[in-house]
Amino acid sequence: MKNIKDITKNTLANLSKKGISTTPENYFIEFKDQAYDLNTDIEEINLFEILKNSISEDETEDIEIKSYNDLVKILQKRVPTEDLKKLIIALNDILKPSVNFDMIEEIEIFISKLLEKPKDLTSTETIKTLKKLSKRRVSNDRQVLKEKTEDIMKLTSLMSRYFDKTLTDGVNSNEEIIKIKDELISLDISKFSHRELRIVQKKLIDTIFKIEATLNKNKQILVDNKEKFDYLNKQIEELQKELILVKEEHQVDYLTSLLNRRAYDYEVEKMERKYLVFHSNFAIIFYDIDHFKDINDKYGHACGDAVLKSFAKILKELTRKEDVIARYGGEEFVALIHYQDEIEVSRYVKRVKNTIKDTSFIYSNNKIKLTFSAGISFRNKYDTFSEAKKRADELLYKAKNQGRDIIFLDNNEEL
């Protein structure tokens, strides 16, 4: 310990005497010299010597190795240039724009310079440039998506006005169509949507020209028959209201207000057509309330009905309008869920499970905690819908047989 104190004291004194600043590197070099002078064995200096001796003469290039900084400069050169080039090529793929291509030339120049000097990849300047390019790329892509969305909204807004006028105001619709046609022609569309939406815009303008010509021919007929049309329109509206009521009674389960089995079968046909034509993926989920018979036996059928209503209400609130939720029979429910990625289905079912778990069902001052079992299959893994439905049903009964309060995915994984 005494030698260490002497070495430290001598080191600081010599640096001051020589007029050398006390940086970590200068301190280490002087400390090492003092240790050699006092013939003191220090582990850190021994390690330095081992590393120093591991450097070949070809690597030193006549550089005197006095500190760890000198070692680092030499060891950095050991990184294979070919490996760095592979990483740079991968960076090119990562940085390549997917929507806005304004930066592509700038990125290509940056990558080309790195390929010429691969060692520059680890420099501070290169890392700063990488961060800036990545940030700008994300910002540019977001801007394109925003402008494309605004372009679509412009077109849909115009067409919405057009259809409203055409269907509800036969007298003035011709003037309105001419106005909308002129607006379509002068519609300001961003450069990002120019090619795609200009094609749509042209088709709409052509269509409106044809409609305009037809309306001019039939305008007088519409005026002459407007009173008759208004009377018929009122009758149609009344019939439509009656049809909606009849349809709801025909398709809605009286107890839970969800789709009934008949309506579910109809929705299945529509989903299957979409799947076969557009490859629109969807999952089939069977739910079954655990120990429902015990609830009926203990609290009565009125309580059981209240539980079914509350359970159905939660399912309906957590299921999107574009998806399907129906009462399949008894305490069993079925959902048809659209998805882009299977993880979306898992998240949806977890939300249902957590909500049911956190909800206390109250009936006549009795607090009832519910659980459910479920089976999930994915339509695209089977040749027919019947096979996919059968698989979801099998997984549901597997969950019930293994203790209930379990959700099984298509691959037998428990959720």
Side-chain angles (χ1 to χ4, degrees):
M1 181 62 72
K2 182 179 179 182
N3 279 359
I4 293 293
K5 289 182 179 179
D6 291 340
I7 293 169
T8 302
K9 182 179 178 181
N10 293 344
T11 297
L12 294 172
N14 274 12
L15 286 174
S16 178
K17 184 178 179 181
K18 295 175 182 178
I20 300 173
S21 59
T22 313
T23 64
E25 183 175 11
N26 293 337
Y27 181 86
F28 175 79
I29 294 170
E30 186 62 35
F31 185 92
K32 176 165 57 67
D33 291 342
Q34 292 298 323
Y36 289 152
D37 290 344
L38 291 176
N39 197 24
T40 303
D41 188 38
I42 297 175
E43 184 179 351
E44 288 84 353
I45 295 175
N46 291 337
L47 177 60
F48 172 78
E49 290 298 331
I50 291 171
L51 290 172
K52 177 182 173 181
N53 293 331
S54 71
I55 305 297
S56 67
E57 292 182 4
D58 292 335
E59 288 180 299
T60 58
E61 297 179 352
D62 297 327
I63 297 173
E64 184 180 358
I65 303 173
K66 293 182 178 181
S67 67
Y68 277 104
N69 282 353
D70 297 330
L71 277 174
V72 169
K73 291 175 184 176
I74 295 171
L75 291 174
Q76 276 185 326
K77 297 177 181 179
R78 289 186 176 182
V79 179
T81 302
E82 289 305 315
D83 288 349
L84 286 176
K85 285 186 176 181
K86 290 178 183 177
L87 179 57
I88 293 166
I89 292 169
L91 279 176
N92 183 47
D93 293 334
I94 293 168
L95 289 173
K96 188 178 294 181
S98 57
V99 180
N100 186 330
F101 296 94
D102 289 349
M103 290 175 56
I104 194 164
E105 186 176 350
E106 183 180 353
I107 291 170
E108 286 175 350
I109 292 171
F110 172 69
I111 295 297
S112 297
K113 288 181 178 178
L114 278 181
L115 287 172
E116 290 174 4
K117 295 181 179 180
K119 298 288 185 182
D120 288 349
L121 180 61
T122 57
S123 71
T124 303
E125 188 62 34
T126 297
I127 292 170
K128 285 182 180 178
T129 305
L130 275 170
K131 288 181 179 179
K132 288 179 182 177
L133 288 174
S134 180
K135 187 175 181 181
R136 280 176 53 210
R137 174 188 176 276
V138 172
S139 177
N140 288 354
D141 283 354
R142 284 178 178 168
Q143 182 63 28
V144 170
L145 291 174
K146 179 184 176 184
E147 294 194 18
K148 279 180 174 285
T149 302
E150 289 174 352
D151 291 337
I152 293 170
M153 288 176 66
K154 290 175 187 176
L155 275 175
T156 53
S157 175
L158 274 175
M159 294 314 298
S160 175
R161 287 165 53 200
Y162 153 65
F163 281 119
D164 285 346
K165 279 292 179 182
T166 302
L167 295 174
T168 62
D169 191 353
V171 177
N172 298 321
S173 60
N174 193 39
E175 291 81 359
E176 182 67 17
I177 286 174
I178 293 171
K179 182 181 176 182
I180 294 172
K181 178 190 67 180
D182 294 338
E183 287 185 36
L184 267 173
I185 292 171
S186 60
L187 191 64
D188 182 25
I189 293 177
S190 71
K191 65 177 181 178
F192 302 113
S193 305
H194 193 273
R195 184 178 180 278
E196 301 95 330
L197 290 188
R198 280 296 176 193
I199 295 172
V200 177
Q201 184 185 28
K202 182 180 181 301
K203 289 181 179 179
L204 289 173
I205 293 169
D206 291 344
T207 301
I208 290 176
F209 265 116
K210 293 176 183 178
I211 294 173
E212 181 186 349
T214 302
L215 284 176
N216 282 330
K217 292 179 183 178
N218 296 295
K219 184 176 180 180
Q220 189 58 47
I221 297 173
L222 287 172
V223 172
D224 295 340
N225 291 282
K226 188 175 186 303
E227 184 177 343
K228 191 174 184 180
F229 171 79
D230 289 342
Y231 172 74
L232 290 172
N233 193 47
K234 287 180 181 178
Q235 286 189 314
I236 290 170
E237 287 177 357
E238 292 298 322
L239 286 171
Q240 283 178 331
K241 290 177 183 177
E242 292 178 14
L243 284 171
I244 289 171
L245 289 174
V246 172
K247 185 178 179 182
E248 287 181 352
E249 291 175 0
H250 186 67
Q251 294 186 341
V252 175
D253 177 64
Y254 75 96
L255 179 63
T256 63
S257 297
L258 298 181
L259 296 179
N260 59 23
R261 185 72 172 271
R262 186 195 303 271
Y264 160 76
D265 290 337
Y266 176 69
E267 292 297 329
V268 167
E269 290 182 14
K270 291 199 299 183
M271 296 272 281
E272 269 293 278
R273 284 198 293 270
K274 283 176 64 179
Y275 171 75
L276 295 173
V277 175
F278 301 107
H279 305 291
S280 177
N281 287 328
F282 66 95
I284 304 158
I285 305 170
F286 275 109
Y287 297 97
D288 191 285
I289 300 175
D290 294 331
H291 305 293
F292 184 72
K293 184 177 182 301
D294 294 343
I295 295 173
N296 274 335
D297 292 343
K298 185 174 181 179
Y299 302 106
H301 288 280
C303 176
D305 288 349
V307 167
L308 286 172
K309 287 180 182 178
S310 298
F311 188 83
K313 183 180 179 182
I314 290 172
L315 287 180
K316 190 171 185 179
E317 288 175 350
L318 295 177
T319 305
R320 299 169 302 190
K321 290 184 179 180
E322 63 264 32
D323 297 324
V324 175
I325 185 74
R327 185 182 180 190
Y328 199 71
E331 68 272 23
E332 194 171 346
F333 299 82
V334 62
L336 305 177
I337 306 296
H338 295 88
Y339 67 90
Q340 295 293 327
D341 194 307
E342 290 181 7
I343 191 67
E344 298 171 33
V345 180
S346 298
R347 288 171 181 163
Y348 157 72
V349 180
K350 283 181 181 178
R351 284 196 298 272
V352 175
K353 183 170 184 175
N354 291 335
T355 303
I356 296 296
K357 181 181 178 182
D358 296 338
T359 301
S360 292
F361 297 81
I362 308 297
Y363 182 79
S364 296
N365 297 322
N366 294 305
K367 185 182 289 187
I368 303 169
K369 296 298 290 184
L370 289 185
T371 61
F372 66 85
S373 303
I376 305 170
S377 66
F378 298 96
R379 172 64 182 89
N380 61 2
K381 295 183 180 180
Y382 301 89
D383 293 332
T384 65
F385 176 82
S386 296
E387 292 176 7
K389 186 184 82 169
K390 181 180 178 184
R391 178 58 175 161
D393 203 31
E394 289 171 351
L395 290 168
L396 168 63
Y397 281 94
K398 179 180 176 181
K400 291 171 67 177
N401 290 333
Q402 292 192 11
R404 296 182 170 85
D405 194 16
I406 298 173
I407 301 166
F408 276 120
L409 289 167
D410 216 336
N411 58 0
N412 285 312
E413 178 185 345
E414 184 177 333
L415 188 63

